[in-house]
Amino acid sequence: MAALSRTVSSLSRRPQLQGLQSARQMSSLFGHVEPAPKDPILGVTEAFLADQSPDKVNVGGVRLPLRTPSSIPRSLAAGAYRDDNGKPLVLQCVREAERRIAGNLNMEYLPMGGSITMIEQSLKLAYGEDSEFIKDKKIAAVQALSGTGACRLFADFQKRFLPDSQIYIPTPTWSNHHNIWRDANVPQNKFTYYHPESRGLDFSGLMSDIKNAPDGSFFMLHACAHNPTGVDPTEEQWREISHLFKAKKHFPFFDMAYQGFASGDPERDAKAIRIFLEDGHQIGCAQSYAKNMGLYGQRVGCLSILCDDEKQAVAVKSQLQQLARPMYSNPPVHGALVVSIILNDPELKNLWLQEVKGMADRIIGMRTALKENLEKLGSPLSWEHITNQIGMFCYSGMTPEQVDRLTNEFHIYMTRNGRISMAGVTSGNVGYLANAIHEVTKPK
Amino acid sequence: MMALAVDVTRFEGVPMAPPDPILGVSEAFKADTNDLKLNLGVGAYRTEELQPYVLNVVKKAEKLMLEKGENKEYLPIEGLAAFNKATAELLFGADNPVIKDGRVATLQSLSGTGSLRLAAAFIQRYFPEAKVLISSPTWGNHKNIFNDARVPWSEYRYYDPKTVGLDFEGMIADIEAAPEGSFVLLHGCAHNPTGIDPTPEQWEKIADVIQEKKHMPFFDVAYQGFASGSLDEDAFSVRLFVKRGLEVFVAQSYSKNLGLYAERIGAINVVCSAPEVADRVKSQLKRLARPMYSNPPIHGARIVANVVGDPTMFGEWKQEMEEMAGRIKNVRQKLYDSLSAKDKSGKDWSYILRQIGMFSYTGLNKTQSDNMTDKWHVYMTKDGRISLAGLSLAKCDYLADAIIDSFHNVN
């Protein structure tokens, strides 16, 4: 047998047989690997890019039909901000930060936990400039791969150190939340959130689910500008939620992807978190600079966990680093540099605050315009929710069938849950969009 | 407003993690105040002046990118297309049939670590019965990656302490003994931590046994171009396996050869038997990446695409890489010369010359390595590995003294 296998080996080394080998192609070991389903959000971009129609429009970026050539491919369907010309926007403060970086700094590995200055600044944004938790070093924090990476690190941490815990996720939520906790092998539950009839918050359903969950459950909350609905609790409602959490000893994990981007004021957008901190909760928080600094592709964010004391924070941080090491070793530097340069320089930080307010204001303006257009068209339906909701997204209330009609008849691309990325609506195309929505929703 | 005391902690059971054996070395080095200190820990290239080095071609690319003023939109999950294309061509050769036939699934990933992790997650999901064979020793983080991905692993013999060379018989025997369909993790060139690579003839035999046992070859290519100085020469082992018509995993990184360490740029490549297989595999790798980080960071990818995509810059890169690899070869030679001159025992240090790449396995054990640090302020990993990238010609004599002392005077 050994002799035979040696003969086979020596045969396979001969050039002519090697060629034959390649031509014949071994059968694949991957026969059982099925094609993955299209990502419900990112898959929309792919469909959009494949569409040949000159009228096509992507509500993640609504463009003027006919006029604008699509010769430059853009990833639009995901929630990415567009200016009033439908173009991606790079903030001035970011460009300036980059000018300072380009070609000047080395690219040595960051410490495992990431950029220390970026983390410090991020904590101030989330917990408050003068937060005593920061002064007392009670927060374990690491730089993460934007919001996704922060959530994933937390989920992995939860799995490793709180293996009996589950996560409660609102209905609906950003679809990738489900993927994240599932791939981390943490069991999921849902809690009531959205009220379809009013296109608003189902507050009593929400409180009921919080109460019925076993004591000490883990909840994932959107700090502001809920994705995909745009529906946020009021300040008063947040206080009630916080009190009930206290009574139930639940753990709140905040996903804050839109600080500053929702109301235009980062302090205001962090209100929910501050309420919970005042009430003495031990929180976790995922932060992202994808939207509020327009750093989408840089993948920069922060994961923080409030601990009992400095010693515990050091231990928890060390474990977060331990989880990150076999995933990507240490996080990417470029985006972190941009963030720290901006937040550390008072002038640049002011510029940023102005720019983020500008983005938020433009979106609020487009919400108003869309609603008014629909009313002017004589739509009998209520469109109050467009202006009641906040942030990048509007949960229009349209059905999947209506969304399909928008795509097939009007070449408007959006996710089938009826979510519109308001960031892509412009003064140039809000009329077109309103018209199309009216067409597919008006009573027959 | 005064915050109420937090009354319950859930994190009591969270212990302090041990310092990372590799990255922890740099941290200890930084804390040392002694003037003579030398950091031979992490594999990050340094100039003769022991400064970090940003390649000129990278600075050029960054300035170019700044001028172009490109936006920062999300990349697709699989990364920047121009980057993926350039990377696959660099690894396999632009005229390789596997590329022409569209049989390679390439995903931009977070450097070598991220590529390995994606592959590990894929193995766990689609080959749940399989295990990975890793060399003994190997890069410390390999085990962490497979552990966290819940992929079982075992070791194949590799390093022979008696010869400070390759235990080739042991390696072949262990690969042969493994259950059919195992994944065999191979270092494409410049083995980390030993610096000991198989010869071309040995590679052929390794390919034979892998083919016989229907194992899956899984390459970790972190040093292409950095080992010999030539990109093509360093890709020899990978291309050999591909030529045999095998399906191959290749995790690749630009951390060292383009000096892009902190940008976290690399790729996982899977050579498949047919294009439609590659499509399916790619789609599932994307599905694993999405809940890890959604899409990869753009900056490093753009740098690579700019450098590799422009013939002039590509030429300049090759030049700079040759210089970096050249500096290391010179330092290796000088270290050997210093050791031979100073060591009166007659010990044969030539194994240092036979090793290749950034690292050298000195043959020192843990206690001796500790002596290097405690007495001589030379920071290295406890397995006896030194990073020549952190050594200057000027420090070779000092290092030789330290090694000779540790080897002969410490247990």
Side-chain angles (χ1 to χ4, degrees), chain A residues 13 32-34 95 249 329, chain B residues 10 69 126 208 280 284:
Chain A
R13 274 203 305 286
H32 61 306
V33 177
E34 312 245 304
R95 283 285 181 235
K249 300 191 185 3
S329 281
Chain B
R10 291 173 183 79
Y126 290 100
D208 289 344
R280 281 189 279 117
Q284 293 298 350

Side-chain angles (χ1 to χ4, degrees), chain A residues 49-69:
Chain A
L49 289 172
D51 186 326
Q52 301 294 321
S53 164
D55 294 334
K56 68 177 176 177
V57 145
N58 194 337
V59 202
V62 176
R63 287 177 21 227
L64 267 175
L66 294 175
R67 303 290 170 79
T68 319

Side-chain angles (χ1 to χ4, degrees), chain A residues 136-347:
Chain A
D136 297 342
K137 303 193 184 181
K138 289 184 177 176
I139 309 174
V142 293
Q143 180 185 336
L145 290 154
S146 206
T148 305
C151 287
R152 177 55 178 267
L153 264 189
F154 182 78
D156 283 346
F157 178 82
Q158 199 184 338
K159 176 66 181 174
R160 183 167 285 179
F161 292 102
L162 301 144
D164 300 328
S165 69
Q166 306 188 344
I167 188 80
Y168 281 79
I169 293 184
T171 305
T173 193
W174 179 48
S175 57
N176 206 25
H177 280 141
H178 294 298
N179 299 334
I180 290 168
W181 269 272
R182 184 199 59 225
D183 274 26
N185 288 295
V186 174
Q188 305 177 21
N189 289 302
K190 296 184 172 159
F191 67 89
T192 305
Y193 192 83
Y194 178 66
H195 191 238
E197 292 74 23
S198 63
R199 325 272 201 262
L201 182 65
D202 183 347
F203 188 60
S204 58
L206 168 66
M207 294 298 271
S208 174
D209 283 355
I210 292 173
K211 194 186 302 187
N212 291 333
D215 281 13
S217 295
F218 282 68
F219 278 74
M220 196 271 299
L221 305 166
H222 297 227
C224 63
H226 182 270
N227 177 0
T229 66
V231 171
D232 283 352
T234 61
E235 189 176 317
E236 191 42 52
Q237 288 172 328
W238 274 123
R239 291 195 189 282
E240 286 189 51
I241 294 168
S242 174
H243 282 144
L244 186 52
F245 262 59
K246 209 83 229 269
K248 295 287 299 181
K249 300 191 185 3
H250 290 331
F251 181 94
F253 179 75
F254 285 96
D255 185 355
M256 184 157 67
Y258 298 99
Q259 188 182 12
F261 200 88
S263 69
D265 176 3
E267 281 300 290
R268 198 163 138 200
D269 290 345
K271 191 66 187 169
I273 290 179
R274 306 292 172 81
I275 287 170
F276 274 68
L277 290 172
E278 279 162 25
D279 285 352
H281 289 287
Q282 207 178 30
I283 71 166
C285 181
Q287 289 169 268
S288 165
Y289 290 97
K291 286 79 169 169
N292 62 10
M293 264 196 211
L295 295 176
Y296 308 94
Q298 304 290 348
R299 320 310 295 129
V300 53
C302 181
L303 167 67
S304 57
I305 298 178
L306 176 57
C307 301
D308 256 6
D309 52 39
E310 182 177 352
K311 182 161 173 237
Q312 196 181 82
V314 169
V316 168
K317 177 170 174 155
S318 77
Q319 294 296 350
L320 292 174
Q321 289 173 185
Q322 193 91 321
L323 286 160
R325 173 64 159 149
M327 244 197 263
Y328 48 85
S329 281
N330 34 60
V333 70
H334 190 78
L337 276 177
V338 171
V339 172
S340 0
I341 287 175
I342 291 172
L343 295 180
N344 272 322
D345 179 320
E347 263 187 62

Side-chain angles (χ1 to χ4, degrees), chain B residues 202-228:
Chain B
Q202 288 173 328
W203 274 122
E204 296 274 0
K205 295 205 172 89
I206 294 166
D208 289 344
V209 69
I210 284 178
Q211 212 163 346
E212 262 172 60
K213 296 288 306 206
K214 301 195 182 24
H215 291 330
M216 173 80 78
F218 182 176
F219 281 96
D220 185 354
V221 177
Y223 298 99
Q224 187 185 6
F226 216 103
S228 67

